[in-house]
Structure formats: structure tokens, C-alpha cells
Amino acid sequence: MIRNWMVAFLCLAGLAACKKYNDCPSGVDVLETYEIDGQSVAIYADGQAYLLKKGLCSDPITYFEPNFAIQNYVIDSTGVFIRTDAGDLFPTRNRFEDDFEDYIDFKDVFAQGVQDTNKFWVSFTAQSPDNPEISDYVALRQCIMGGTCAFTDNRMELIEEPGNVGNHVIRFTAVKPKRNMVTSKMSFDSPLPYFVKGMDLWFQARYKIEGPFPYSLVDFENPYFESSPGPRIVFENGALAWENKFGAKEKTLQTTPVNVPQNAWFTLKVHIFLTNTVDGRVEIWQDGALILAANGKTLPTYNSIQSSLEVGISASSEATTVLLDDLRISDVAF
């Protein structure tokens, strides 16, 4: 699996004889530098990223558009609003709870228009052997929400929890990806959070894993930067871990790993202090016990906006099923 856009960048740069290096930009601040596989990468304030070699810079690639915040958000005395594709303004939400009891069908989970300010979830991704490419699963999502088709392999369902009559949960099911696929996904997401440097992000949910462990359970992303970087909670040998989906893509493991139970409910709680400096912090609790606490960068750059929450089977190399209930997100501790 290609780890992230920077590794792909380095692969392209591997043809050293063909790669041209010139003077680095002047008059533009460097936001961050990362060491990846022995190669230095610099991200500049104009959103361009360069490979560095002997004080020179390669041809750039665009990591972000410098005016991405102004293009996508309006901030005034009443709050922070995200611009929809149609140009409407929709209020962001840093505090939300969902026990999935107020829905009849899984489609009821999603906001259908600017009038649905009480809803939080906006989209889902069913990347699968039947729908491997972006155009495939976008078209699938559109026809499912329009009521003209149904899931064929990966699927998301609102069900009554087995053995607990009257309690509704979300069930995500993913099949094994084909050999030429990077991953299989069945998750839903929201673009409504708005978390920036210096803020605390709290997340909690109950999960039940029926089958092999997926790679990741929840991603806190910035969709305005290349490859949607940010922290995410992953599995490592059956135990929870924290991974930064940016830079060298460092993974922090538990000192004494506590295995996650399979076929049994467990509660995941996460606290992230967001910053691009080493005093960022991630804490993870499993069933009320603190199992991981570590410092480090939790933002790729100081101006990153972590504005996408992806939950469910956000990546898996095996066929599996994940049940979800009692989800909470907040900018203050709970």
C-alpha cells in the first residue's frame, strides 16, 4: 500500500537522473519539513511541496491551495459556516451525539439539504470490488440515495442490535478487496467539524468487530490538503494505535498492548490536542482505561483545518463487519 502522497512523490522523484533541482523559492515561508525514507520534503506557505537536495528544490507538487480557508468557510459573530457545492452556507458542528434511535432507514442518517441543520452525516463511501474507483462509488452513492439501486457487496445498514431488542445500531460490512485494490471501505463521513490548531478534539463511540480487524476505525482528516491528512485510530496486531496520515506517517503503539475483543462491544474514547508542534497529544481509552498517551505533531501544518470525520471501516484488507453505536464528538471533554 502506498503510504501517502509524499511517498508517491518520492517514488516519482526516484529517477534522480531525470529529476531537475533548482533554487528554492525566495520570499515564501517554509511551513514544515519532513524526512521520509531519507529524503527531505518541504511544504511552503503557498501550498507547494518540494523535494530538497543540497540546498536545491525539485519541481513542486501542490499540497494545498493557499486560499482554501477563505474559499470554503465564512466566519462571523454567529459562528463558522461551510460553503456547500451550491454556494449555500451550512453551520459547522464541533459537538454532536448520535445513538441512531431516531431513524427508520440508514438513509435517514444523512442531511439531504441545507434545511437539515439537525443532521451531521453527509456522505458514505462503499469502495469495493464492485465499485473500486472514485467514479464508481460516487455513482453508487447517488443512486442509492436516489432510491434507484442498492448495495451489492460492501454495505451500510441501520439494524436492531442482535440480542438487544429496540436498540438501533449501524452495521458496516466490507468484503475483501481485489488484488489490484489498495483497500476496501465502508464508512460514513461528515464535513461539518471545524477543528484548528490549539483546539481539543474528543471522540467516543461503541464498536463491535465481527470478523477480522479492519485497518482503521476513525479518521480525523483535512480534505482540502492532498490525501486528506490527519490523525487516525488504527489496529496493530489486534490492539488500538494512533497513526498520523501525513509526513513520515508515524505510528504510535501501546507500551503494553491491550487486545480489542472480537464479537463483543467495546468503547473507544479519543482525545487529540491539535498542533503542528511536538507538544501535540493523543490519548486513547478502551472501556474506560487509558491505554495510550503520547505527544507529537497532530496537524500536518499550522493552518490545517481538521474538518472531516470518517467513521466505520475506513480501510480494510480483509472481509469484516463493524457495528457502531452511541457516537459523540466534542471540542470540550466529556
Side-chain angles (χ1 to χ4, degrees):
M1 179 185 297
I2 293 178
R3 294 186 299 162
N4 58 13
W5 74 277
M6 287 189 179
V7 174
F9 186 17
L10 292 179
C11 290
L12 293 175
L15 300 174
C18 302
K19 197 70 180 178
K20 293 183 178 179
Y21 286 81
N22 302 297
D23 291 338
C24 293
S26 59
V28 183
D29 292 335
V30 176
L31 296 187
E32 295 289 342
T33 58
Y34 291 101
E35 289 291 326
I36 306 174
D37 296 342
Q39 175 69 63
S40 295
V41 177
I43 302 172
Y44 279 70
D46 61 0
Q48 299 300 299
Y50 300 81
L51 294 171
L52 303 179
K53 183 177 180 181
K54 297 180 179 180
L56 299 177
C57 284
S58 69
D59 295 334
I61 66 171
T62 299
Y63 189 49
F64 63 84
E65 297 294 340
N67 58 347
F68 76 94
I70 295 174
Q71 286 181 333
N72 292 284
Y73 293 96
V74 170
I75 302 175
D76 61 27
S77 59
T78 63
V80 180
F81 300 84
I82 186 172
R83 298 183 193 271
T84 69
D85 292 340
D88 299 309
L89 297 181
F90 199 94
T92 61
R93 300 185 68 177
N94 282 358
R95 299 178 189 178
F96 179 74
E97 299 182 15
D98 206 340
D99 59 9
F100 308 108
E101 298 305 318
D102 296 330
Y103 312 120
I104 298 174
D105 182 80
F106 89 92
K107 291 189 285 188
D108 299 332
V109 169
F110 299 100
Q112 298 291 307
V114 294
Q115 74 280 357
D116 291 334
T117 55
N118 62 320
K119 300 289 183 71
F120 183 75
W121 305 105
V122 172
S123 183
F124 64 82
T125 299
Q127 184 177 12
S128 67
D130 284 354
N131 299 280
E133 304 297 333
I134 293 176
S135 58
D136 299 326
Y137 54 78
V138 168
L140 176 72
R141 179 172 65 234
Q142 292 172 342
C143 75
I144 287 176
M145 294 304 293
T148 60
C149 70
F151 294 111
T152 59
D153 47 12
N154 290 9
R155 64 188 61 246
M156 171 184 169
E157 304 160 283
L158 178 73
I159 66 167
E160 191 173 82
E161 180 191 347
N164 189 1
V165 177
N167 182 51
H168 290 106
V169 302
I170 297 293
R171 179 168 63 192
F172 303 96
T173 303
V175 303
K176 185 180 179 67
K178 291 181 179 178
R179 185 171 298 178
N180 61 344
M181 292 176 59
V182 173
T183 191
S184 182
K185 295 167 66 78
M186 188 63 248
S187 59
F188 61 3
D189 60 85
S190 174
L192 299 182
Y194 183 87
F195 289 89
V196 296
K197 181 177 180 177
M199 294 183 67
D200 293 283
L201 191 163
W202 293 83
F203 172 87
Q204 181 173 293
R206 293 198 309 127
Y207 290 92
K208 184 180 181 182
I209 313 296
E210 297 180 340
F213 293 111
Y215 183 73
S216 57
L217 282 179
V218 54
D219 293 38
F220 309 97
E221 300 180 322
N222 177 348
Y224 306 112
F225 283 22
E226 178 63 35
S227 295
S228 300
R232 61 180 175 178
I233 306 305
V234 302
F235 283 103
E236 182 70 22
N237 295 323
L240 296 168
W242 156 43
E243 181 182 72
N244 271 338
K245 196 171 65 171
F246 59 84
K249 204 172 185 182
E250 297 175 349
K251 185 184 293 184
T252 302
L253 309 181
Q254 300 177 45
T255 303
T256 305
V258 177
N259 288 335
V260 170
Q262 288 176 290
N263 299 304
W265 286 96
F266 72 96
T267 299
L268 167 66
K269 181 179 178 181
V270 181
H271 168 233
I272 305 174
F273 175 65
L274 292 165
T275 182
N276 63 314
T277 60
V278 293
D279 58 347
R281 187 162 181 82
V282 172
E283 297 169 301
I284 301 175
W285 290 262
Q286 181 177 317
D287 291 328
L290 183 65
I291 58 170
L292 187 154
N295 292 336
K297 291 184 177 183
T298 51
L299 289 179
T301 60
Y302 84 93
N303 62 336
S304 182
I305 301 174
Q306 300 312 115
S307 57
S308 178
L309 176 66
E310 183 181 10
V311 181
I313 305 172
S314 54
S316 183
S317 60
E318 300 292 339
T320 191
T321 297
V322 173
L323 274 60
L324 173 74
D325 200 9
D326 299 327
L327 181 147
R328 304 172 70 184
I329 184 172
S330 180
D331 54 3
V332 296
F334 46 68

